[in-house]
Amino acid sequence: MPCGRARSRLDHPLARTTSPLENLCELLQFHKDLHVDGRELIPNEELGIRWERVLDAGQTTVHEILTFRNFGQHAYDLPVTLRFRAGFEDIFSVRELLHEAAGLQDPPGWRDGRLHFVYRGADRLRRTMTVQFSPEPHTTEEIAATFRIKVPARDAVAISVTIVLRECAEETDAARHMPHPPTTVDRVVGSLRKKSEAWMGQCSNLHSDSLLLNSVVDRSLRDLGMLRSQLKEKEYFAAGVPWFVALFGRDSLFVALEMLAFQPDIAKQTLRLLASYQGQRIDQWRDEEPGKILHELRVGELAGTGEIPHTPFFGTVDATPLFLLLLGRFSDWTGDLTLFHELQGAIELALTWIADSADISGNGYVEYQCKSDKGLVNQGWKDSGDAIVCADGSLATPPIALVEVQGYVFAAKHAIADLYDRAADSGRAKQLRREANALKARFNRDFWCEEQGTFALALEAHAQQVAVVSSNPGHALWTGIADEDKAHRSVARLMKEDMFSGWGVRTLSTGERRYNPVGYHLGTVWPHDNALLAAGFRRHHEDEAALEIFTAISEAAMHFRHHRLPEALAGFGREDFQVPVHYPVACHPQAWAAGAVPFLLTTCLGLEPDAFNNRLQIVRPRLPQFVDRIALCGLRIGRGTADLEFRRTGNGATVDVLRTTAKLEVEIDR
């Protein structure tokens, strides 16, 4: 009989996730005759094993149920042996990035019918993995449990295995942290389903005549419900499973922004949480500077021993302007200045960092240059070491000013200027707008690459253009920093065959020397990236191109399990394989991928909130070709809500306002 293996990878932020990470189910059917104890024959295809797994991250518990079903006419007596081991690797060790700070592992042992693994970490935390069984095994060995099960004809028998992960201070009485007897799996699943439905009840509800769109949106929202995590009693979206179950500045901000039309409350909590960790001093080890918003926070063993700088780590160039931009967009949806006033100190600190510390070369752009020994060479959203490449294939030389980051700064300053105006500080508002407009003029002069027909990926050292064709300029179009003529030319360039794969826009053109369809940021297709590109296209009235992206991303989702969009997919063309090729180690679920289609809907339906004036503007609503009708109910703008129905027409879409509350006005501009 097959053996099972459990491997403990206790990354502490996982314990804070408030919903299940996954409910997995596999059915194994034997296609060869089995000989039990060398004598009894079980004919092929008479025995099936159903393996279900429920991950309850709130209790850091895994429930495994193995159901043996006999499809034959005779009863069978089966020996089943399950073997376990626990590695207790830090997530950075699992990813093979670091291997320092190894602690000591006690020999595994059996007590009270349970198998215990104990690891004494170098960070003085004791981590345990306890395996519990129902029914109890007939015999046990060092790391094995053997069951003798009798499966009647046409019947089934189940073995339940519960794996409980815990950690506590080394000096703490271990007995007080022993796992409680497990509740039934049905009760766990029922509780998790209730939490999932409660989360869905908090979100705007969408229904369309497209089964595909309904399924993708439902999966996206449920995945984001699973990725909700808590820190300091505040909720945020963890970046992704399995590698990034943690607070990430850029990722958590982007997802909160993507979800504003569906669930704006987490944006408020995310902003408060990130403000509480804002950089206060100069610390090169953690790339910290006053005013910066963190990149990543880890609390595993390597963080506890100081082997990694992620406590938190500030090596990101874009989280700070995105923090300001999200605050502005959140205020547009809620019509409330309370959070602006509460975070005004953090806002000014962030603006000071943008104006001073971030301008490394003194050229008026926000740039990055890694200072930490164990930091990131590249610090934009494309943060792999080889992501920012020149036309000759060489790596760009720091300090590096990314094209999209200048757009984020431009949009952030305008967003915060609007809030200062509403707070009756017109002087500060005018100053920020002057700075933003001066940035726009410089940007369109220095970043435009006439030869490529789009904006350069970046400026490297000595203000030299990194003149490759990439997806990054699409983000700049979304922010409004691009001149109109350059924006239209950029859209045309990004939708050419070397960039548009049929499943979305690639991160790098197939014509570039460093193009690689399975390079992390060198030619793959990222759903969130495409959602921002579509928003940029819509901003400049390039509606058909935006809808083409919407359709491509949705059709790509159709080919993934549960219609779940992964972090990234390979950049092979649609004509090559007829289906999207999986990127080998993509996170799924992954937060900003899950937020991509909700954001595409917000964009293409033309939802523009003006909550300060109790108004929703719907500007040039458009539906993709595979959808004729969309109903969006419970859309929140300020204190009001709206139920809307969109119907596709030959030249756009009609909108019916089904219901509004709190005297909310809906204006439609077709």
Side-chain angles (χ1 to χ4, degrees):
M1 296 296 295
C3 299
R5 172 179 292 177
R7 191 175 189 184
S8 169
R9 293 174 173 176
L10 184 62
D11 189 25
H12 189 64
L14 184 62
R16 299 194 180 98
T17 306
T18 58
S19 298
L21 290 182
E22 191 59 87
N23 187 344
L24 305 175
C25 178
E26 298 289 348
L27 177 65
L28 310 177
Q29 191 83 15
F30 289 101
H31 296 282
K32 292 185 179 180
D33 294 343
L34 293 177
H35 292 272
V36 179
D37 296 335
R39 299 186 303 278
E40 184 177 12
L41 173 69
I42 301 178
N44 66 345
E45 298 185 346
E46 283 201 3
L47 184 68
I49 302 178
R50 179 183 175 92
W51 186 354
E52 297 174 88
R53 172 177 294 156
V54 178
L55 278 67
D56 183 356
Q59 299 296 321
T60 51
T61 300
V62 181
H63 300 273
E64 311 264 11
I65 307 98
L66 284 79
T67 303
F68 299 82
R69 183 169 294 278
N70 184 354
F71 296 100
Q73 304 301 314
H74 304 283
Y76 295 115
D77 187 355
L78 306 173
V80 178
T81 299
L82 302 175
R83 291 185 172 85
F84 302 84
R85 78 179 182 90
F88 294 102
E89 299 103 326
D90 188 281
I91 193 66
F92 283 81
S93 298
V94 175
R95 294 171 62 195
E96 299 183 345
L97 299 177
L98 289 170
H99 298 283
E100 291 93 333
L104 298 174
Q105 188 164 339
D106 294 353
W110 288 86
R111 294 191 304 276
D112 303 323
R114 300 167 177 171
L115 178 58
H116 298 265
F117 296 85
V118 178
Y119 175 78
R120 304 176 189 279
D123 57 352
R124 298 189 58 77
L125 289 180
R126 182 195 300 119
R127 295 171 172 88
T128 63
M129 184 180 93
T130 303
V131 189
Q132 309 174 52
F133 304 91
S134 179
E136 291 188 3
H138 289 78
T139 61
T140 61
E141 301 175 38
E142 183 184 15
I143 57 170
T146 298
F147 302 82
R148 195 83 198 192
I149 63 172
K150 298 181 185 295
V151 191
R154 315 297 297 175
D155 205 347
V157 173
I159 297 173
S160 177
V161 181
T162 300
I163 302 168
V164 183
L165 305 176
R166 293 288 185 267
E167 69 178 24
C168 62
E170 186 64 63
E171 58 274 10
T172 303
D173 181 8
R176 290 194 300 146
H177 290 265
M178 291 296 291
H180 298 294
T183 185
T184 65
V185 174
D186 288 344
R187 188 172 297 175
V188 172
V189 171
S191 173
L192 295 175
R193 283 177 177 163
K194 285 182 180 178
K195 290 179 181 178
S196 181
E197 293 307 317
W199 159 254
M200 295 296 286
Q202 298 173 24
C203 299
S204 301
N205 176 265
L206 179 137
H207 184 77
S208 76
D209 63 347
S210 166
L211 294 177
L212 173 60
L213 182 61
N214 293 342
S215 179
V216 173
V217 171
D218 183 79
R219 182 72 269 164
S220 295
L221 296 180
R222 290 185 188 277
D223 279 351
L224 287 167
M226 287 191 283
L227 288 167
R228 284 176 300 156
S229 297
Q230 277 197 348
L231 193 61
K232 294 185 175 181
E233 299 182 346
K234 296 178 179 64
E235 279 196 343
Y236 67 94
F237 292 113
V241 176
W243 312 120
F244 306 121
V245 186
L247 174 64
F248 275 72
R250 175 193 311 118
D251 298 57
S252 298
L253 289 163
F254 258 136
V255 187
L257 189 147
E258 289 176 320
M259 281 290 289
L260 282 172
F262 286 81
Q263 217 289 3
D265 294 342
I266 291 184
K268 179 193 297 185
Q269 297 184 61
T270 301
L271 289 164
R272 283 174 169 157
L273 180 60
L274 290 171
S276 73
Y277 284 105
Q278 188 175 30
Q280 300 296 322
R281 60 196 179 96
I282 295 176
D283 183 344
Q284 293 192 355
W285 167 242
R286 299 193 302 167
D287 246 332
E288 179 181 2
E289 292 171 336
K292 285 183 80 172
I293 298 300
L294 66 79
H295 170 60
E296 180 180 359
L297 174 65
R298 297 281 185 173
V299 290
E301 183 180 10
L302 292 175
T305 57
E307 295 291 340
I308 58 173
H310 302 70
T311 56
F313 177 58
F314 290 84
T316 175
V317 72
D318 50 13
T320 306
L322 287 171
F323 172 84
L324 299 171
L325 181 54
L326 175 62
L327 177 59
R329 297 292 168 90
F330 169 79
S331 301
D332 290 340
W333 280 97
T334 61
D336 189 355
L337 285 176
T338 302
L339 189 62
F340 168 73
H341 289 303
E342 177 187 329
L343 300 181
Q344 197 159 349
I347 291 167
E348 284 300 327
L349 202 57
L351 288 168
T352 299
W353 177 80
I354 287 170
D356 297 337
S357 302
D359 186 3
I360 299 171
S361 302
N363 56 13
Y365 296 120
V366 170
E367 304 166 292
Y368 65 86
Q369 184 167 16
C370 181
K371 300 177 178 66
S372 175
D373 293 341
K374 293 186 179 179
L376 294 169
V377 174
N378 289 314
Q379 298 188 353
W381 86 260
K382 295 178 180 177
D383 58 5
S384 52
D386 59 356
I388 311 303
V389 294
C390 301
D392 63 2
S394 63
L395 301 182
T397 304
I400 295 171
L402 294 169
V403 59
E404 75 274 18
V405 174
Q406 316 317 312
Y408 301 159
V409 172
F410 172 81
K413 288 190 174 184
H414 272 290
I416 298 302
D418 289 346
L419 296 180
Y420 269 112
D421 260 341
R422 296 189 183 281
D425 189 345
S426 60
R428 185 65 170 129
K430 289 178 181 177
Q431 179 187 1
L432 290 171
R433 290 194 183 101
R434 282 197 303 270
E435 293 172 359
N437 293 335
L439 171 61
K440 181 174 182 176
R442 291 194 304 274
F443 173 86
N444 283 276
R445 179 194 68 208
D446 297 341
F447 276 83
W448 180 251
C449 185
E450 182 66 28
E451 182 180 349
Q452 299 289 8
T454 188
F455 293 96
L457 168 58
L459 300 182
E460 61 174 335
H462 310 298
Q464 296 298 305
Q465 284 190 353
V466 180
V468 296
V469 179
S470 70
S471 63
N472 299 56
H475 294 222
L477 302 190
W478 166 61
T479 67
I481 196 173
D483 288 341
E484 201 65 29
D485 60 326
K486 296 179 176 65
H488 291 296
R489 290 183 63 187
S490 293
V491 173
R493 183 66 190 89
L494 291 172
M495 292 303 291
K496 285 187 176 180
E497 187 176 348
D498 63 317
M499 283 298 289
F500 186 71
S501 74
W503 304 115
V505 176
R506 298 178 176 94
T507 44
L508 190 68
S509 164
T510 60
E512 298 298 347
R513 185 166 296 188
R514 290 296 290 267
Y515 166 73
N516 180 349
V518 290
Y520 196 47
H521 296 118
L522 296 174
T524 47
V525 173
W526 290 61
H528 90 282
D529 186 31
N530 277 263
L532 287 170
L533 265 64
F537 295 178
R538 282 273 294 168
R539 184 181 186 111
H540 296 280
H541 293 243
E542 296 281 358
D543 297 343
E544 291 306 312
L547 291 174
E548 192 170 357
I549 286 178
F550 194 159
T551 299
I553 292 296
S554 299
E555 290 180 349
M558 181 170 60
H559 296 280
F560 290 91
R561 187 177 183 181
H562 306 309
H563 293 165
R564 168 181 288 148
L565 282 166
E567 174 185 19
L569 45 144
F572 296 105
R574 191 165 183 160
E575 69 282 357
D576 293 336
F577 299 103
Q578 311 307 312
V579 295
V581 177
H582 291 221
Y583 181 74
V585 291
C587 286
H588 51 88
Q590 202 255 7
W592 61 17
V597 170
F599 190 61
L600 282 164
L601 282 162
T602 304
T603 296
C604 291
L605 295 181
L607 305 179
E608 296 190 6
D610 182 10
F612 286 106
N613 293 306
N614 204 36
R615 181 174 58 191
L616 170 67
Q617 292 180 293
I618 301 177
V619 180
R620 299 190 332 277
R622 299 289 186 271
L623 275 64
Q625 289 292 323
F626 68 96
V627 185
D628 289 325
R629 183 188 66 83
I630 291 176
L632 183 61
C633 299
L635 180 69
R636 281 179 279 173
I637 302 94
R639 296 182 180 180
T641 62
D643 295 348
L644 308 167
E645 185 174 73
F646 299 80
R647 291 186 178 273
R648 188 163 62 84
T649 63
N651 60 352
T654 61
V655 185
D656 290 329
V657 181
L658 305 179
R659 184 185 69 93
T660 61
T661 66
K663 297 182 180 180
L664 177 69
E665 295 182 7
V666 178
E667 296 180 0
I668 302 168
D669 176 9
R670 294 185 178 87

